[in-house]
Amino acid sequence: MTNLTSTFIEKLKNSTNELISIQKDIEIKIIEKREIENAERENTLKQLQLEEARQSSSQAYLLMGIIVLSVVIIFLVANNRSTKKREAQLSRKNQQISSQKYQIEQSLKEKDVLIKEIHHRVKNNLQIIISLFNLQSHYINDAKAFEALKEGQDRIKSMALIHERFYQNEGLSKIDFDDYIRRLVENLLM
């Protein structure tokens, strides 16, 4: 019996040791399983955090894009308004310039008419003076006085000729000197 008991005890000890060993294996497997589960949870958590970070980043980029787009739109609208303002100002300036141009043209036409009238009066006055010299020369018997009167008349004729040349030319800065001399000689020889 002792042997049997001892064998039984031995078997019992072996069984207990096996059970303890199995229990340790199970505990190790449970711990490993928990570690794997924890690792999977951590991976899942990291993936969720990464996904959340990506979404957060995407939202930040989207928000940034919306802000940039808003700023661009605001800039374009402001630029458009500014352009319209400048166009309106330019249009007003063009109207003012057109109005001033019209007034200047009207004033120029009036001045042209006045200048033509002045030229006409000067021409008539010079012709009257020449005619007066001519009439007076019929009543003078003295040769020296007649010569002086004739010389004065010739001077007035040369002034009338210069005036006529200026009046007929487009510009007052120059006259055709050859034509003037030819016509002066013709008038003096008459």
Side-chain angles (χ1 to χ4, degrees), residues 18 26 43 59 119 137 178:
E18 276 184 40
I26 290 174
N43 279 341
Q59 288 173 351
H119 282 301
S137 68
D178 290 337

Side-chain angles (χ1 to χ4, degrees), residues 75-113:
F75 174 74
L76 290 175
V77 167
N79 191 27
N80 189 22
R81 285 183 183 169
S82 175
T83 302
K84 285 182 180 179
K85 258 186 194 176
R86 282 187 296 231
E87 286 175 357
Q89 288 174 347
L90 188 60
S91 176
R92 283 193 300 274
K93 295 263 185 199
N94 283 341
Q95 287 174 350
Q96 288 174 347
I97 289 171
S98 295
S99 173
Q100 290 173 349
K101 181 182 174 188
Y102 178 76
Q103 290 173 351
I104 290 170
E105 287 173 351
Q106 293 304 317
S107 176
L108 186 61
K109 286 179 184 177
E110 290 174 8
K111 288 178 183 175
D112 281 344
V113 168

Side-chain angles (χ1 to χ4, degrees), residues 16-187:
T16 308
N17 283 339
E18 276 184 40
L19 280 176
I20 290 175
S21 175
I22 291 173
Q23 185 180 4
K24 283 183 181 180
D25 283 343
I26 290 174
E27 284 177 0
I28 290 174
K29 286 183 181 180
I30 289 173
I31 291 172
E32 286 177 355
K33 188 176 180 183
R34 283 183 186 163
E35 286 177 356
I36 291 172
E37 286 175 355
N38 284 340
E40 286 177 359
R41 277 189 216 136
E42 284 181 23
N43 279 341
T44 305
L45 185 60
K46 284 180 182 178
Q47 287 176 355
L48 287 174
Q49 287 174 343
L50 283 174
E51 187 62 33
E52 204 174 287
R54 282 187 204 134
Q55 285 179 353
S56 221
S57 173
S58 295
Q59 288 173 351
Y61 287 135
L62 181 62
L63 183 61
M64 190 66 103
I66 289 171
I67 290 171
V68 168
L69 185 60
S70 298
V71 168
V72 168
I73 288 171
I74 289 170
F75 174 74
L76 290 175
V77 167
N79 191 27
N80 189 22
R81 285 183 183 169
S82 175
T83 302
K84 285 182 180 179
K85 258 186 194 176
R86 282 187 296 231
E87 286 175 357
Q89 288 174 347
L90 188 60
S91 176
R92 283 193 300 274
K93 295 263 185 199
N94 283 341
Q95 287 174 350
Q96 288 174 347
I97 289 171
S98 295
S99 173
Q100 290 173 349
K101 181 182 174 188
Y102 178 76
Q103 290 173 351
I104 290 170
E105 287 173 351
Q106 293 304 317
S107 176
L108 186 61
K109 286 179 184 177
E110 290 174 8
K111 288 178 183 175
D112 281 344
V113 168
L114 289 175
I115 287 175
K116 285 180 183 178
E117 180 63 26
I118 289 171
H119 282 301
H120 182 70
R121 287 184 184 196
V122 168
K123 180 181 170 185
N124 284 346
N125 287 340
L126 290 172
Q127 285 301 323
I128 288 172
I129 293 171
I130 291 171
S131 296
L132 287 175
F133 274 127
N134 197 21
L135 285 174
Q136 191 64 36
S137 68
H138 290 299
Y139 298 110
I140 295 182
N141 294 332
D142 185 19
K144 280 190 173 187
F146 181 79
E147 221 21 72
L149 206 56
K150 180 72 174 152
E151 189 177 313
Q153 187 179 20
D154 288 343
R155 287 182 181 173
I156 298 296
K157 282 182 181 179
S158 69
M159 284 191 287
L161 189 59
I162 287 175
H163 176 263
E164 183 181 347
R165 294 283 64 161
F166 278 132
Y167 174 65
Q168 288 176 351
N169 281 345
E170 288 183 18
L172 299 176
S173 63
K174 59 183 179 179
I175 61 169
D176 185 3
F177 193 71
D178 290 337
D179 185 47
Y180 166 71
I181 294 295
R182 186 180 46 76
R183 290 191 62 188
L184 180 63
V185 170
E186 286 175 5
N187 281 335

